[in-house]
Amino acid sequence: MRIDILTLFPGLFESPFQISIIKRAVEKRLCEIHLHDIRDYSTDKHKSVDDYAFGGGAGMVMMIQPIEALILKLKAERNYDEIIYMTPDAKVFTQKEANRLSMSQNLMILCGHYKGVDQRIRDHYITHEISIGDYVLTGGELAAAVVVDSVVRLIPGVLSDETSALTDSHQDGLLSPPVYTRPANYKGWEVPGILLSGNEKKINEWRENQSMEITRKIRPDLFDK
Ligand code: ADE
């Protein structure tokens, strides 16, 4: 998979993609992540990328010209499965969406800043919009990093144990059961005995029951679905 990220602040992505699973996915060539600085595509003599909103109101709006130049250059090089715009004004991202996007060959992700991008970019180039939650960040970069992380870990071969993504929270619509490791008894805090029994069927039943119980308590909205 190839992911192109269009941003005014490429530096914001440096550490999240240079650590652990995403770093290894890139090293194993299971995924390529390309960062593009929108400002490099401005034809303005001061390299401006934003301007006041027509109609007034607080906050600047990202201008069409540099974003369009960059999108057109990338689109001329390859076909994109989706051209995504990160914005709080969209449907909230879910595991189902992550699963769908993980089947893509090429993804483009545009990060908004200030008051966002000129609506005409959204109308003419964006094929999909994503919010990561009902709160507002200073820009789309951290949200894009969240989406990239959740998608890249689903690419076959990225996680060492292929089944581990299948048993994630949310993969079956439920939250995960509790997990424990050694020692079995720490200061008298004991691991549930069933997990030490070696009886796989009973252990799976216990985990399913725990998942249901926890989901019912913490996320009744998911449980009702
Ligand atoms: N940009 C600012 N806030 C955001 C959010 N919640 N999701 C996606 N992009 C954003």
Side-chain angles (χ1 to χ4, degrees):
M1 180 187 296
R2 174 184 168 117
I3 304 175
D4 288 282
I5 300 178
L6 289 54
T7 170
L8 289 173
F9 301 98
L12 269 171
F13 292 96
E14 270 159 25
S15 77
F17 297 158
Q18 276 162 26
I19 289 173
S20 180
I21 291 173
I22 305 302
K23 178 183 174 196
R24 262 182 282 129
V26 172
E27 283 170 356
K28 285 203 245 167
R29 301 189 165 266
L30 295 169
C31 129
E32 286 176 36
I33 301 173
H34 297 267
L35 300 173
H36 306 273
D37 189 338
I38 294 168
R39 198 175 295 277
D40 292 343
Y41 293 81
S42 171
T43 51
D44 180 87
K45 64 173 185 284
H46 304 294
K47 294 268 169 207
S48 332
V49 288
D50 58 346
D51 210 335
Y52 295 101
F54 279 129
M60 305 294 275
V61 177
M62 288 167 70
M63 297 158 86
I64 297 180
Q65 181 276 315
I67 299 173
E68 181 184 50
L70 177 49
I71 292 178
L72 290 179
K73 173 182 126 63
L74 293 170
K75 268 169 64 106
E77 291 165 358
R78 67 197 62 75
N79 288 322
Y80 285 87
D81 299 83
E82 295 281 14
I83 303 180
I84 298 166
Y85 176 52
M86 302 307 306
T87 170
D89 311 318
K91 280 208 182 128
V92 174
F93 192 57
T94 58
Q95 187 64 42
K96 195 167 157 212
E97 271 295 292
N99 292 344
R100 182 180 75 83
L101 293 175
S102 74
M103 324 264 205
S104 310
Q105 281 285 305
N106 300 304
L107 292 175
M108 202 189 298
I109 305 181
L110 171 63
C111 304
H113 245 272
Y114 318 118
K115 276 278 153 201
V117 300
D118 188 301
Q119 180 63 32
R120 289 165 290 182
I121 285 286
R122 295 167 79 168
D123 294 344
H124 296 282
Y125 293 109
I126 297 300
T127 62
H128 188 57
E129 300 194 331
I130 296 178
S131 163
I132 63 158
D134 292 335
Y135 42 80
V136 179
L137 304 167
T138 51
E141 284 76 10
L142 296 178
V146 166
V147 169
V148 169
D149 187 285
S150 69
V151 168
V152 169
R153 66 191 287 285
L154 295 173
I155 298 172
V158 169
L159 295 182
S160 48
D161 177 358
E162 282 254 13
T163 60
S164 69
L166 297 175
T167 59
D168 285 341
S169 279
H170 295 291
Q171 209 52 275
D172 56 5
L174 294 172
L175 305 186
S176 289
V179 291
Y180 300 87
T181 186
R182 287 185 301 165
N185 184 333
Y186 182 80
K187 294 183 184 165
W189 303 339
E190 290 193 19
V191 167
I194 187 83
L195 296 177
L196 310 174
S197 69
N199 184 331
E200 201 178 332
K201 184 164 169 277
K202 283 258 150 53
I203 292 173
N204 286 339
E205 271 171 23
W206 180 86
R207 287 188 170 144
E208 273 166 37
N209 284 335
Q210 288 285 316
S211 267
M212 303 255 260
E213 202 44 39
I214 289 167
T215 309
R216 196 176 57 77
K217 239 196 239 158
I218 301 178
R219 292 291 305 273
D221 54 319
L222 290 181
F223 192 77
D224 292 343
K225 270 193 215 159

